[in-house]
Each structure stands twice: as C-alpha cells, then as structure tokens.
Amino acid sequence: MAKHDDKIYDAYYSEKNTLFKKKVRERVHWICSNATGEFVLDIGCSQGIAPIILGREGKNVLGIDISENAINDALANLEIEEKETQQLVEFRKGNFMLENFDRKYDTVILGEVLEHITDIEAFFNKAVSLLENNGKLIVTTPFGINDFPDHKRTLYLRDFFNLQNEQAIISSVKFFGKWIGVIYQ
C-alpha cells in the first residue's frame, strides 16, 4: 500500500485558490484561536503549520509526528521562520503512545489524528493525562463517512461524546462541512 503523506502546510500556503485550501485554513485558524496557555503539544503535527503559527504568537510548542517525512518538512518550514519563532517551536519524530513527556501542557492538539488510530480511547486518555488543570484538548477529524484509504475508522458525534470522562468534558463543537472540531476541558 502506498504511503499517504499529510501535506497540510503545503495546502495552507498553496498558490491555488481552492476550496480545499480555504477549508484547511479555516480548521487551522480555529485550532490556533482556541489554543490557550503558554505550553502547547501538537500530536500528529504533520508539516508543522499549527505549531509555527502558535510559535509566532509566543507560545512554546512541541510538535510530534510518527512520520519522518512530516518532521523533516516541519523542520524545513521552521527554518524559514524568524529566530524568535524558531526558539519557541520544537519538532520531534516519535510514536505518541511510546513517548515519555516531562511536562504537562495547557493545550493538547489532535488535528486530524484520531481517524488514523485503532484504539482511540487509549490514545485520547494519554492525551488528556498530559493536560494541566483547566487545560484544553482540541480535536479535529473528518466527520462521517469518508474515502481516505489510510483512515482506520469513521467518527460520528456520538464517538466524541463517548470519549468524555471526568478529566475531559466537551465544551465546544464546530462543524466544518465534512470535518468536525471538538474542544474538551
């Protein structure tokens, strides 16, 4: 099976004025506008667009991704940023479920990640465990049936409600056409 690399940074900055670019920007801006606090973790950061935007805004951001290509792209994208942004953003190749973290975060981002995971409850719970008190978990995924060959599951609204627990209650839901954004606090 061919590898499908996520190219969200490329879509965000595409010179083509496409509907896909508009939808990507809408989701990225929603994620970034809802990221609060000083320390942010972006799990499945792809080419690094959200961490870079948040770094420009003075947030300390760690972006991790399992894809070496994605991290190499993210590092190259960070290289063209101002030094101040470069000092605030770190990218690391790694498997989130195997990583050990030495801190908690004010915001954790799962931007179009859960649909790629078979055991989303364990993945979600680990992400929640990394939140500071009153922290936010921001999730975006395709909503409903889609035809992406590397997606392992289809997510519906009830799936997001079922993930709630004592540490993470839904505070906001936003629909973006065929995508959904959910904030847990």
Side-chain angles (χ1 to χ4, degrees):
M1 179 178 190
K3 177 128 178 63
H4 297 277
D5 283 333
D6 184 355
K7 299 286 187 178
I8 296 300
Y9 185 99
D10 293 345
Y12 185 92
Y13 284 112
S14 173
E15 297 199 13
K16 297 177 183 174
N17 191 10
T18 65
L19 181 59
F20 182 68
K21 172 184 170 180
K22 180 181 176 194
K23 292 293 185 184
V24 164
R25 284 179 168 232
E26 182 182 15
R27 291 191 311 276
V28 168
H29 292 167
W30 180 81
I31 289 168
C32 292
S33 70
N34 283 289
T36 56
E38 184 179 351
F39 295 96
V40 177
L41 173 62
D42 186 352
I43 302 162
C45 66
S46 180
Q47 296 176 300
I49 188 63
I52 288 171
I53 290 172
L54 292 169
R56 289 176 190 157
E57 295 175 2
K59 296 189 184 305
N60 291 285
V61 187
L62 170 59
I64 68 168
D65 202 291
I66 200 164
S67 166
E68 188 169 349
N69 289 340
I71 292 300
N72 288 339
D73 287 349
L75 290 167
N77 294 333
L78 185 59
E79 273 294 309
I80 61 175
E81 292 293 319
E82 298 292 329
K83 290 290 182 209
E84 295 84 0
T85 301
Q86 291 177 22
Q87 293 169 349
L88 292 170
V89 178
E90 176 188 351
F91 292 112
R92 183 186 313 160
K93 181 195 178 302
N95 180 327
F96 171 67
M97 292 303 288
L98 302 177
E99 286 284 318
N100 292 314
F101 295 88
D102 58 359
R103 67 161 308 108
K104 295 212 179 229
Y105 295 87
D106 302 303
T107 300
V108 174
I109 300 168
L110 297 174
E112 293 158 41
V113 172
L114 288 181
E115 66 274 15
H116 299 277
I117 307 301
T118 53
D119 186 354
I120 64 170
E121 190 171 316
F123 198 91
F124 180 88
N125 288 335
K126 181 167 181 177
V128 169
S129 77
L130 294 171
L131 287 173
E132 288 281 5
N133 290 336
N134 301 316
K136 284 184 182 178
L137 176 63
I138 301 172
V139 178
T140 60
T141 70
F143 182 67
I145 296 173
N146 61 68
D147 59 356
F148 298 104
D150 61 334
H151 290 186
K152 294 182 175 55
R153 66 180 335 110
T154 299
L155 295 159
Y156 297 97
L157 193 54
R158 74 175 177 277
D159 297 309
F160 299 101
F161 280 100
N162 290 340
L163 287 171
Q164 294 181 106
N165 58 45
E166 290 179 10
Q167 291 78 38
I169 304 295
I170 292 175
S171 64
S172 179
V173 176
K174 169 100 173 152
F175 291 95
F176 304 92
K178 294 181 178 183
W179 286 266
I180 187 171
V182 181
I183 298 174
Y184 295 85
Q185 287 186 286

